[in-house]
Amino acid sequence: FMRTADLGLTQDTIFAEQFLDDPNSRPEPHYHHPSPHPPPGVQFHIDENWVCLDDGKGSHSPIAPQAVDALVSMGFRAACDPMMWTPTSKTRKYMTEKGLRFDDIPIPGPLEEGEGGPEDSTCLVWSGKFAHKYHGHEQPAVRSQGIVNMSPEELVDLIMDSNRVSEYNKSSIGRTDEVVLSDGTDLDNSPFSGQRKKKLTGVVMQGATVIDGNAVFESETDEEQSDLEEIEEVVFDDDGNKSVHTITLPSRRERRTRFVGETKLVRTTNKPPLVRKVLEFYTLLHCRALTDDQGGDGFIIVGRGITPASDADKKKSKKGVMHSEILLNVHIIRRLRDSKRRREKGSRKGGRNSKSVSTSSRKASKGDLANRCLMINVNHLKSPMVPNMLAKKVGLSAALNFIMDIRGLTE
């Protein structure tokens, strides 16, 4: 079960009949529409609403895709809301010196790239609180932003792969995929993909092929499907002499991640240092590509704590285990360059594209930026181990350590 009141999903806002296969049947609470009645073992609260994510047989419930869509929308809005966040004194000073703005997010790359490697200590952090009155609103939230010396696809693979959690989280005992609601293998038919099929309108010229709702000619499709692409980089030396370098990179078709569209319910266990008990989390984890309205050219990963449906699931944990709840986790991963394809005369084996990158006060080649990404994180956690008076301090420190641990895996 997952809380949905802060997502705008309540029993009064959902038309439950849309999920019924038989119009004569009655919609079931939690399964077809949210319900204020909590799962077993959870105290009732009049302002809360709950939905069931799976059907108990390994598949998703009818309302689960809509709940995940709402979670993605809310998570993205929270990460991009400048009114919600207050920068730390160090972040405020850094942004003032560099002339950075909070609303640089929609740009495919920040004004200050950074290197994103183990030696790069640049990381911006904010703290804030959610304005709603629902569960966990009194807990502080933390937003962090930094450059990672990985391609967006590599970073998504790292975060979503449950077998690799220990690579960047040294206190992790393990993460298990309990239920996979969608494995992302069939994005065209998956309700969790976040994709909306385009409708082709107008007249299609003879000889054109329709791809994803767009009419393109054969030369364009060959270029798009090429395994390699070439980037021309113009470099000026100290004497003003101009030189052109050609960088060959995997094409957009080759830069893929198998986790787009994947939605799963996971169980995570951590053993923090100097703590006797083990921390355990039950979480919904979902990944999808950013839409055009969200700036595109990247991915978003969202997570939220869930509650097992039966007492038997809750009793799987052994003694000495403390349950914590992830109220919201968001990872927005953006590419550090904007693709603007330029058709050239003649055909060649590899497509050649003109790339424009964001302005920077540090020197970074286009080849460097191709393997870097901007990571924006939002963390909202409730743990009985952390007192409220220390939650903000602990959250800010954890956000910094998370980005530095990720950078530590890069070259």
Side-chain angles (χ1 to χ4, degrees), residues 300-371:
I300 181 171
I301 300 172
V302 294
R304 165 159 286 195
I306 57 175
T307 302
S310 65
D311 291 334
D313 290 333
K314 297 177 184 178
K315 293 178 181 178
K316 284 182 180 179
S317 303
K318 300 178 181 179
K319 292 183 178 180
V321 174
M322 183 180 299
H323 291 278
S324 298
E325 183 179 3
I326 295 177
L327 302 172
L328 179 67
N329 258 6
V330 182
H331 305 286
I332 299 176
I333 302 171
R334 291 193 182 278
R335 206 175 306 280
L336 278 185
R337 56 198 181 95
D338 186 18
S339 300
K340 294 182 179 179
R341 298 192 173 274
R342 179 183 60 190
R343 291 190 60 196
E344 297 184 0
K345 295 182 180 180
S347 59
R348 51 176 57 88
K349 187 174 181 179
R352 175 168 294 183
N353 304 326
S354 175
K355 304 289 183 182
S356 63
V357 298
S358 56
T359 306
S360 172
S361 60
R362 296 185 185 181
K363 293 182 179 180
S365 67
K366 295 181 181 179
D368 292 334
L369 294 184
N371 292 314

Side-chain angles (χ1 to χ4, degrees), residues 96-341:
T96 301
E97 292 176 350
K98 302 299 182 180
L100 301 179
R101 304 171 302 172
F102 183 91
D103 57 359
D104 286 335
I105 298 174
I107 302 175
L111 299 178
E112 174 84 12
E113 284 99 356
E115 298 175 357
E119 304 300 324
D120 189 355
S121 61
T122 303
C123 181
L124 308 181
V125 289
W126 295 258
S127 63
K129 285 191 175 183
F130 285 88
H132 60 70
K133 61 179 180 179
Y134 304 112
H135 179 69
H137 71 279
E138 73 283 354
Q139 297 292 326
V142 175
R143 180 187 186 274
S144 59
Q145 173 177 312
I147 300 301
V148 177
N149 195 25
M150 293 183 184
S151 69
E153 291 78 11
E154 290 174 334
L155 185 53
V156 168
D157 291 346
L158 177 65
I159 295 176
M160 289 294 294
D161 192 342
S162 295
N163 296 322
R164 302 182 62 186
V165 175
S166 59
E167 294 182 22
Y168 57 87
N169 185 358
K170 302 306 179 184
S171 65
S172 173
I173 299 178
R175 190 175 79 190
T176 306
D177 297 344
E178 297 287 320
V179 180
V180 178
L181 303 179
S182 173
D183 58 7
T185 55
D186 188 6
L187 290 180
D188 292 335
N189 298 315
S190 173
F192 294 99
S193 67
Q195 297 180 354
R196 299 294 181 267
K197 293 184 178 181
K198 299 179 180 179
K199 294 183 179 180
L200 187 66
T201 60
V203 179
V204 180
M205 296 181 63
Q206 184 177 4
T209 304
V210 178
I211 299 179
D212 292 335
N214 298 316
V216 297
F217 291 93
E218 183 177 356
S219 58
E220 290 179 310
T221 58
D222 292 341
E223 181 178 344
E224 177 71 20
Q225 295 179 359
S226 174
D227 291 341
L228 299 174
E229 63 180 1
E230 296 178 357
I231 300 175
E232 286 187 351
E233 182 176 16
V234 180
V235 179
F236 293 90
D237 58 20
D238 296 336
D239 298 329
N241 299 320
K242 175 181 176 182
S243 60
V244 180
H245 301 284
T246 302
I247 304 171
T248 303
L249 296 171
S251 67
R252 181 178 292 272
R253 183 176 69 91
E254 289 296 305
R255 296 192 303 267
R256 293 179 178 177
T257 171
R258 64 184 177 89
F259 291 103
V260 170
E262 180 165 292
T263 308
K264 54 188 177 181
L265 311 180
V266 301
R267 182 197 302 263
T268 306
T269 52
N270 293 334
K271 182 64 172 65
L274 305 179
V275 177
R276 294 183 178 181
K277 292 187 176 182
V278 174
L279 292 182
E280 189 170 56
F281 303 85
Y282 297 91
T283 312
L284 163 74
L285 199 60
H286 169 74
C287 174
R288 68 174 55 175
L290 292 170
T291 64
D292 293 339
D293 294 339
Q294 296 170 338
D297 216 12
F299 308 93
I300 181 171
I301 300 172
V302 294
R304 165 159 286 195
I306 57 175
T307 302
S310 65
D311 291 334
D313 290 333
K314 297 177 184 178
K315 293 178 181 178
K316 284 182 180 179
S317 303
K318 300 178 181 179
K319 292 183 178 180
V321 174
M322 183 180 299
H323 291 278
S324 298
E325 183 179 3
I326 295 177
L327 302 172
L328 179 67
N329 258 6
V330 182
H331 305 286
I332 299 176
I333 302 171
R334 291 193 182 278
R335 206 175 306 280
L336 278 185
R337 56 198 181 95
D338 186 18
S339 300
K340 294 182 179 179
R341 298 192 173 274

